Amino acid sequence: MDSARTFESIVIIFNPNSTGDAPELAQQLHDDLKGLLTYQPRITLQPTEHAGHAVDLAREAAAKGGDVLVVSVSGDGGYNEVVNGVMQAGNPQAVCAVLAAGNANDHSRIIGTKPLEQAIADGRVHNIDLLRIHTGQKEGDPHEYAHSYIGFGLTPVVATELEKGSKGALKEMVTVIKTFSEFKPFAIRQSDGKRRKFDSLVFANINEMAKYATLSEADTIPSDGKFEVIVFPHMPKWRVLLTALRATTQGLGDQPSVESYEFTTLKPLPYQIDGEVKSVEADVKVRVESAPSALAILG
């Protein structure tokens, strides 16, 4: 149930060295909120100093307790850090929000319903599901969460190459085509014990990704305790291209919806989590599961 909320503090986290306009957007949000809100929370601008710093800043902000709103002025990857920091803090009153300022803003584009400053003023908070991935973490290690998707196979490989190059539609397209032509499938052992080859395996909490592709017919707001599994078994490359084309034009239609998915890696395997590329070692049991209504958000 939505409830109108006010906040004791609002912490705005941004990368001052962003290739986009994150510093300007963060300052603008700060100034807009000062004039728009009918109450007077502490509003703090928090620039990051290095990769991963947003996790620490968000955790520290939320761990102070009370009604705190942590805003990420970033793309999907920066927002992922803020979400994980807030989840680590364990403050049930903490709320997250994202102001799009990156190359990929899938979560903001799909979840957002109004300008963020207006959403904050309205104070209508609702909870969404997260994806939680286990990749052999030790007991006591923090869980790892995704707000939008986790992808194995083509997804992280293309993302890694895009990060190496410069942005821009034409250069992105050339990079994708080159990477695709050199791509090799990956094999995993599924929970039934059988070894299978895939070109791509995506666990999606939202129904679109990478600005263009419609992955499923799932509801826009992820709040059903399940996620979609989009599987590209290994196939000739022309068929992969046709499937990708269908995703960008008419969508892939209904996809299986599950609460959890398990498999074991056979070799070290890269994966993409909300735009950030990480990797999991060989012979690790990977489990992806829904964390129902785990995150309170505004937007």
Side-chain angles (χ1 to χ4, degrees), residues 152-216:
F152 291 82
L154 265 174
T155 317
V157 171
V158 170
T160 301
E161 292 305 314
L162 284 176
E163 282 305 311
K164 289 180 190 172
S166 53
K167 300 291 191 291
L170 183 59
K171 288 182 178 176
E172 284 187 358
M173 193 178 296
V174 170
T175 298
V176 168
I177 292 169
K178 180 178 182 295
T179 307
F180 178 75
S181 67
E182 298 169 355
F183 173 75
K184 291 181 173 56
F186 68 97
I188 56 175
R189 182 174 292 109
Q190 293 191 290
S191 52
D192 61 4
K194 291 185 178 175
R195 183 180 180 279
R196 291 187 175 87
K197 268 189 179 180
F198 294 91
D199 288 326
S200 180
L201 180 59
V202 177
F203 308 104
N205 206 35
I206 57 175
N207 61 2
E208 296 178 27
M209 70 179 285
K211 297 179 280 187
Y212 310 113
T214 302
L215 299 176
S216 76

Side-chain angles (χ1 to χ4, degrees), residues 129 131 204-205 222-228 257-259 290 292:
D129 303 339
L131 295 169
N205 206 35
S223 56
D224 62 354
K226 295 183 178 181
F227 56 90
E228 278 62 52
S257 184
V258 301
E259 295 176 7
S290 178

Side-chain angles (χ1 to χ4, degrees), residues 109-172:
R109 191 181 67 254
I110 292 160
I111 303 297
T113 58
K114 62 180 71 173
L116 182 58
E117 64 275 13
Q118 191 58 57
I120 294 170
D122 291 348
R124 309 304 294 184
V125 171
H126 55 280
N127 282 64
I128 63 167
D129 303 339
L130 294 176
L131 295 169
R132 183 165 52 225
I133 181 170
H134 302 263
T135 54
Q137 288 99 330
K138 296 180 177 63
E139 191 74 34
D141 285 353
H143 292 303
E144 185 175 24
Y145 294 92
H147 53 70
S148 296
Y149 62 85
I150 300 168
F152 291 82
L154 265 174
T155 317
V157 171
V158 170
T160 301
E161 292 305 314
L162 284 176
E163 282 305 311
K164 289 180 190 172
S166 53
K167 300 291 191 291
L170 183 59
K171 288 182 178 176
E172 284 187 358

Side-chain angles (χ1 to χ4, degrees), residues 17 23 29-30 39 55 79 83 87 114 116 165 186 218 226 231 233 240 244 246 261 273 282 294:
N17 302 312
L29 178 63
H30 173 279
Y39 59 100
V55 178
Y79 188 41
V83 166
M87 292 300 294
K114 62 180 71 173
L116 182 58
F186 68 97
K226 295 183 178 181
V231 175
V240 180
R246 193 166 88 242
Y261 192 104
I273 179 164

Side-chain angles (χ1 to χ4, degrees), residues 38-49:
T38 55
Y39 59 100
Q40 294 184 317
R42 294 186 307 278
I43 305 177
T44 311
L45 287 166
Q46 287 272 34
T48 59
E49 296 175 3

